[in-house]
Amino acid sequence: MAHVTADMPATHATEHSITVAAPQAVVYGLIADVAGWPAVFGPTVHVDVLEEADPERGGEQLLRIWATANGQVRAWTSRRVLDPAARTVLFRQTVPAAPVASMGGEWRVESAGDGTSRVVLLHDYRAVDDDPAAEELIARAVDRNSLAELAALKEAAEQGELRDELHFVFSDSETVAGDAGDVYTFLDRADLWPQRLPHVSRLDLTEDEPGVQHMDMDTRSPDGSVHNTTSIRVCFADRGLIVYKQLKVPVAMSGHTGRWEIEPLGDGTVRVTSWHTVTLDPEGVRKALGPEATPAEARALVRKALGTNSSTTLRHARRFAEEARARA
């Protein structure tokens, strides 16, 4: 297995850094936990861990990453080498996405004294055919994403124990006496949701490349108010899986990711589960619910609002699939 090295030749190199008021172990843990990146880093939409490494013991990982860059969703495969003792993570794209010809770099978490850390993010890259226009495009994306990732890492790490109150995961499920393919079709064809779901008043969906959807949706609340969200969805028909990340979230949240999972149960039924990962915004919570509002109160309200919509979608997906089987 080829090992990643930080000194591979490259045409361009960049360095970005930030000081974080949190211990090295906390900061490094957020970087090492790549499966949690969509909930921490704005540009990251989804990560598939193809080969796993133990974040505490180190080793190599093979990852498939979907992220936004210059307004578009890019997907690439990367190999990482984790060194918990040195607090470093080396990375190298093994299958870059054009116009990138090669891309790699390193995360370093250094002690800045007094329980604070200095995080250094290095990149090296080349453009396909060394095209100057592509080099400029890559440079802008690297600069924008690096600054955004470091700022998000700082925010998450400095929350400390409060992060446990602000960050939570929950799910809702339905058992469907229908075919997994019909359930998937219902969830995949979100462009039809305004006709199929009572709480969706408008939805614009574009799919510039198969399996990657951009969604702009207006959702009607029980009190009659309408909330707008924008999301990116990555759809895996062969796995019965749709993952998404909201780019525009309600005021009380700073982040929201989710996934729809379809699991055949072996008895002619399937279990469909809607998962949500939410990070609350303390200032947004106070703005939306009042200055005395607590994270626990906000969690309960967000859980109810998202869960109600998810459960409604699950019930309609079940009805759609069961009626399709009855007609077959």
Side-chain angles (χ1 to χ4, degrees):
M1 181 180 293
H3 286 267
V4 182
T5 59
D7 57 355
M8 294 178 67
T11 304
H12 301 278
T14 66
E15 177 177 334
H16 297 81
S17 64
I18 198 167
T19 300
V20 182
Q24 285 176 276
V26 172
V27 179
Y28 178 82
L30 290 169
I31 297 170
D33 180 22
V34 72
W37 275 24
V40 175
F41 298 121
T44 307
V45 176
H46 177 63
V47 179
D48 268 348
V49 181
L50 307 178
E51 295 178 11
E52 186 60 281
D54 185 339
E56 295 185 0
R57 299 182 61 183
E60 293 195 10
Q61 288 177 320
L62 186 65
L63 312 170
R64 184 70 175 164
I65 302 172
W66 287 259
T68 57
N70 295 323
Q72 295 182 302
V73 179
R74 301 289 186 184
W76 64 87
T77 302
S78 285
R79 188 168 294 281
R80 303 202 313 170
V81 176
L82 285 71
D83 187 338
R87 303 286 207 282
T88 62
V89 178
L90 300 176
F91 58 91
R92 178 70 49 188
Q93 292 186 9
T94 60
V95 183
V100 176
S102 68
M103 174 78 75
E106 182 179 8
W107 291 90
R108 297 176 184 167
V109 183
E110 305 167 348
S111 173
D114 298 325
T116 65
S117 305
R118 179 173 181 264
V119 184
V120 180
L121 178 55
L122 305 173
H123 283 92
D124 60 70
Y125 61 86
R126 277 195 317 107
V128 174
D129 299 325
D130 296 319
D131 177 59
E135 290 173 349
E136 183 179 349
L137 187 73
I138 297 168
R140 287 201 304 269
V142 168
D143 188 58
R144 182 183 299 112
N145 283 8
S146 295
L147 292 173
E149 288 177 349
L150 288 170
L153 180 66
K154 175 182 174 70
E155 180 180 359
E158 291 182 350
Q159 286 174 344
E161 294 181 359
L162 180 62
R163 181 168 171 78
D164 292 335
E165 293 188 70
L166 300 176
H167 186 76
F168 62 105
V169 180
F170 65 92
S171 65
D172 298 287
S173 296
E174 283 278 342
T175 299
V176 181
D179 296 334
D182 290 324
V183 176
Y184 181 87
T185 295
F186 184 93
L187 298 174
D188 177 61
R189 290 300 306 271
D191 56 311
L192 299 177
W193 283 3
Q195 292 81 50
R196 292 174 168 176
L197 296 174
H199 61 282
V200 178
S201 59
R202 182 192 64 84
L203 195 150
D204 292 333
L205 185 144
T206 58
E207 192 166 352
D208 295 332
E209 59 179 290
V212 178
Q213 300 176 345
H214 296 253
M215 200 162 75
D216 188 317
M217 179 171 65
D218 289 339
T219 303
R220 189 181 301 105
S221 297
D223 63 4
S225 61
V226 175
H227 302 276
N228 175 259
T229 57
T230 60
S231 305
I232 293 173
R233 306 204 309 174
V234 184
C235 307
F236 304 93
D238 59 329
R239 295 159 57 183
L241 175 68
I242 296 174
V243 300
Y244 61 89
K245 178 168 187 169
Q246 284 193 350
L247 305 182
K248 181 180 179 182
V249 295
V251 66
M253 296 184 240
S254 64
H256 176 209
T257 64
R259 65 187 187 274
W260 301 93
E261 293 181 347
I262 305 168
E263 176 190 5
L265 299 178
D267 59 357
T269 66
V270 296
R271 179 185 295 115
V272 191
T273 304
S274 170
W275 288 92
H276 296 272
T277 299
V278 175
T279 303
L280 297 174
D281 173 23
E283 183 178 343
V285 167
R286 290 189 290 269
K287 185 182 297 183
L289 305 179
E292 303 302 320
T294 66
E297 292 170 333
R299 282 200 309 272
L301 288 173
V302 169
R303 171 68 177 92
K304 181 178 180 181
L306 294 179
T308 297
N309 288 347
S310 289
S311 296
T312 300
T313 303
L314 289 168
R315 288 195 302 271
H316 282 75
R318 181 190 66 194
R319 183 182 308 162
F320 177 86
E322 291 179 349
E323 288 177 354
R325 175 176 286 183
R327 291 192 301 269

